[in-house]
Amino acid sequence: MSSLPAFDQPKLEITKADAALALLDDEQEWTAFSRPVAQQPGCWESNVMIEGMHCAACALTIEDALQKVPGVRNVEVSAGSHRAKVVWESQAVSPSGWMQAVHQAGYRALPANDAFARERRLAGSRKALWRMMVAGLCMMQVMMYAYPAYVAQPGDLTPEMEQLLRWASWVLTLPVILFSCGPFFSNAWQDVLHRRVSMDLPVALGMLITFLVSSAGTFDPAGIFGHEVFFDSLTMFVFFLLAGRWLELRLRDRTAGALETLMNRLPDSVLRFKSDGQYERVPVRRLQAGDVVRVLPGEAFPADGVLLQGHTSVDEALLTGESRPLTRQVGDEVISGSHNLSAMVQMRVDRVGEQTRFAQIVNLMESASTSKPALARLADTIAKPFLIGVLVAAGLACAYWWQSDPERALMVAVSVLIVTCPCALSLATPAAMLSAAGALARRGVLVRRLDAFESLAAVDTVMFDKTGTLTRDAMVVNQIHVRQGMTQQQALAQAAVLAQHSLHPLSRALVAAASQADATEHWLATQVTEQAGQGVRAEVCAAHGAGAPVVLRLGSATFCDVVPVNTKALQVHLSDDAGWLASFEFQEDIRQDAQATVAALQRAGISVYLLSGDASDAALRVAEKVGISEVRGNCSPQDKLDFLRESQVQGHKVAVVGDGLNDGPVLAGAHVSFAFGQAVPLAQAQADFLVSGGRLTNVADALLLSRRTLAIVRQNLSWAALYNAVCVPLAVLGLLPAWLAGLGMASSSLLVVINALRLSKDAQFGRGF
């Protein structure tokens, strides 16, 4: 037991909270939940979770409280994900300063990567389940005691028996009011203290009025409220509301849990190799480039690096969208956040912290989870005026009915307060868009801002870059021409034995082609010399030693002293002392799903263009392969931008897909933009969607999913509007009892969330887009 007097306990709690916040003022702790803003020196962008918020009105209250803090530049609070993004000046305010403003507003701000966030969320979910179960158990008992009053004929129940049943119902309702309704009353009290309105205020007023009216009827059966008690309606309403909120919480946690799963993939500590040959366990944040660490099976790689020892399989599904385990051996790169599946390995750390691909993905998902689409901002804007209108409407309805029946007047007011709670309205847009963003993330597409779904759904034109987008960076052998008497396999095998001594991209393509072919002969090369930019010369003989060595040349037509075949294709030649032996034609490695992606877009009524900085003939060859008829080659960055603006002036909504440095301007100017995961940082910074895997079909999937998302948003908004249009008049006319109003409100919110989760399910099973 504490020796402090009772009145000192709240002060002690505030002191502990302040001390916890003060720890975050250490600049070394900022990187755990914040990152510097490159465009604004001295500014930091922090992502925090907000505890205690329940609706759009709460989000607006928190935004207002933070924007009043000197030094806070920008604030975005999402009612759907319960997250906030705060941009603040380090010279003007500290994290504890603006977090304290959140606390003073009646909420709690926590770093988004807080280690105990999941535990707190699970504890909150368990407590919500207990509140619902208590309400459900008491509801069933109260209904049992209320049943005789509904079915009894005049004279069947004596006044004493009826009063006994009322007292039993009152006693059973007490746990519901004192325990199950606790969050509603505490949140409503905070609203009163801070002179604000949230969705819990009308609900708490309805509960309190119903309980007081029924209690008055129980204590004074002969009074004006003694005609009837409503304990059954009250407990039923509380149970329905808690059940709806608990299910809504579980469904919402699927989205929040996916983000937390990604953010918390890194281990807390790792075994680092010391100079004496031993290992020490150190926190991941203390790792530096050049460190050597040991990663055990089942652990996540703590940084980007290269394997030094071991051979294992890794799971990169959540980072790249690749669903199959990938093999990694000595010399292969591994990325932080991917899981080591099968064996202990040793790796060298190359990149840590914000430089890792994992950190970039987390930043993108955090940004998306806190962004507000235009439709969501509209719903948030009307939430407060709507709630004020609800209170006014309830008061007017009560005043109208009071003259004829005071008891009924209060219950009509309760029904109006409950049925008009705009939970469904505030959840309609963020629930659908967060569900869609989660579905795309599981397929390897990261959404930088939720607004992009609205723009993408309206797109009627898609412009592709060529190199690195429709094609890979590598080249592949397309055709082989050989001298009479030699087979293509022999020519490829001889060329590969020379090419393996060169680092030229075309040499690597020859070696790759030879490794995939069924070679029946093997060759050895000696006295190898390379002339930079021209070719490779060597003495080649059969691996089994038969025959005399032959001097071969592999390279350009001039180097091999041959006349090139009349073609516009890129060529490499092979010759011996007698002259020409073979010519190898190359083409860019077109992505396997490029043609299917273009076809899917065209079936959806989308016009597809290819804009490339390469020569027109090269662009035309790729366009013919993938099925694009509108092609422009030799495009400078300004040419691409001019073409984009011309299309926009004509009224087209344009999406651009690219990955290179020269794509930066056109990505920034497009209505919607996609960048591939290997894109340079500038392209990634300008893009709305980042395709972290290598599947081009994800572009078509995202476009079709965005259309489906907007359709579901419209369905949700229509349902919310229809629900209020039908139920509000019924409540005002006294035709909607409180328990049915509670069931309707809970069901409408739950329906909105379940409808939004169809996006995730369709994505999981490959339906719908």
Side-chain angles (χ1 to χ4, degrees), residues 491-679:
L492 187 58
Q494 291 181 359
V497 77
L498 273 71
Q500 66 185 358
H501 296 280
S502 171
L503 297 178
H504 193 279
L506 298 183
S507 297
R508 293 199 298 269
L510 282 170
V511 173
S515 65
Q516 296 175 1
D518 296 328
T520 57
E521 297 184 66
H522 298 280
W523 304 83
L524 295 176
T526 58
Q527 300 182 15
V528 181
T529 59
E530 181 178 9
Q531 185 174 339
Q534 295 296 318
V536 181
R537 178 186 180 281
E539 288 189 1
V540 177
C541 64
H544 52 74
V550 178
V551 176
L552 297 180
R553 292 173 178 263
L554 177 71
S556 66
T558 303
F559 181 76
C560 296
D561 195 20
V562 300
V563 178
V565 179
N566 185 21
T567 179
K568 296 180 180 180
L570 184 62
Q571 291 184 339
V572 167
H573 306 278
L574 180 68
S575 66
D576 59 9
D577 292 337
W580 176 78
L581 279 175
S583 294
F584 305 90
E585 292 184 5
F586 296 85
Q587 69 174 17
E588 292 176 283
D589 186 10
I590 299 175
R591 295 183 185 272
Q592 293 181 349
D593 55 355
Q595 186 174 4
T597 301
V598 172
L601 291 172
Q602 292 171 340
R603 285 195 302 271
I606 306 296
S607 300
V608 182
Y609 291 81
L610 172 59
L611 275 66
S612 176
D614 289 351
S616 298
D617 55 347
L620 281 170
R621 284 196 299 270
V622 172
E624 290 175 359
K625 292 280 187 180
V626 301
I628 298 178
S629 57
E630 301 291 339
V631 189
R632 289 198 177 187
N634 295 311
C635 289
S636 66
Q638 186 61 47
D639 293 335
K640 293 183 179 181
L641 190 58
D642 291 342
F643 186 80
L644 170 68
R645 288 173 176 169
E646 181 182 345
S647 298
Q648 292 173 332
V649 167
Q650 294 173 0
H652 295 292
K653 303 295 184 182
V654 185
V656 173
V657 187
D659 81 323
L661 181 62
N662 62 347
D663 296 324
V666 73
L667 288 172
H671 292 97
V672 187
S673 52
F674 290 81
F676 275 73
Q678 302 303 321

Side-chain angles (χ1 to χ4, degrees), residues 343-363:
M344 181 182 68
V345 295
Q346 191 179 82
M347 66 169 286
R348 183 189 71 240
V349 174
D350 289 342
R351 292 178 298 277
V352 296
E354 292 294 320
Q355 300 176 350
T356 63
R357 187 174 176 187
F358 171 80
Q360 296 169 2
I361 292 174
V362 168
N363 291 341

Side-chain angles (χ1 to χ4, degrees), residues 352-469:
V352 296
E354 292 294 320
Q355 300 176 350
T356 63
R357 187 174 176 187
F358 171 80
Q360 296 169 2
I361 292 174
V362 168
N363 291 341
L364 286 171
M365 292 194 69
E366 284 182 336
S367 177
S369 68
T370 56
S371 63
K372 280 189 179 181
L375 291 173
R377 287 194 294 268
L378 177 61
D380 290 357
T381 302
I382 66 176
K384 276 191 176 181
F386 186 85
L387 286 170
I388 294 173
V390 167
L391 297 175
V392 173
L396 294 175
C398 181
Y400 174 79
W401 285 96
W402 186 269
Q403 298 177 356
S404 59
D405 189 345
E407 187 176 29
R408 186 177 187 185
L410 289 174
M411 297 314 297
V412 167
V414 168
S415 296
V416 174
L417 289 171
I418 293 171
V419 79
T420 54
C421 189
C423 295
L425 181 65
S426 65
L427 289 171
T429 299
M433 292 193 176
L434 285 171
S435 181
L440 287 179
R442 286 189 292 273
R443 298 174 67 89
V445 181
L446 301 177
V447 185
R448 292 187 68 243
R449 58 183 186 89
L450 296 182
D451 299 44
F453 279 113
E454 297 178 38
S455 302
L456 185 58
V459 161
D460 58 13
T461 303
V462 174
M463 296 181 180
F464 283 99
D465 178 47
K466 181 175 69 67
T467 305
T469 304

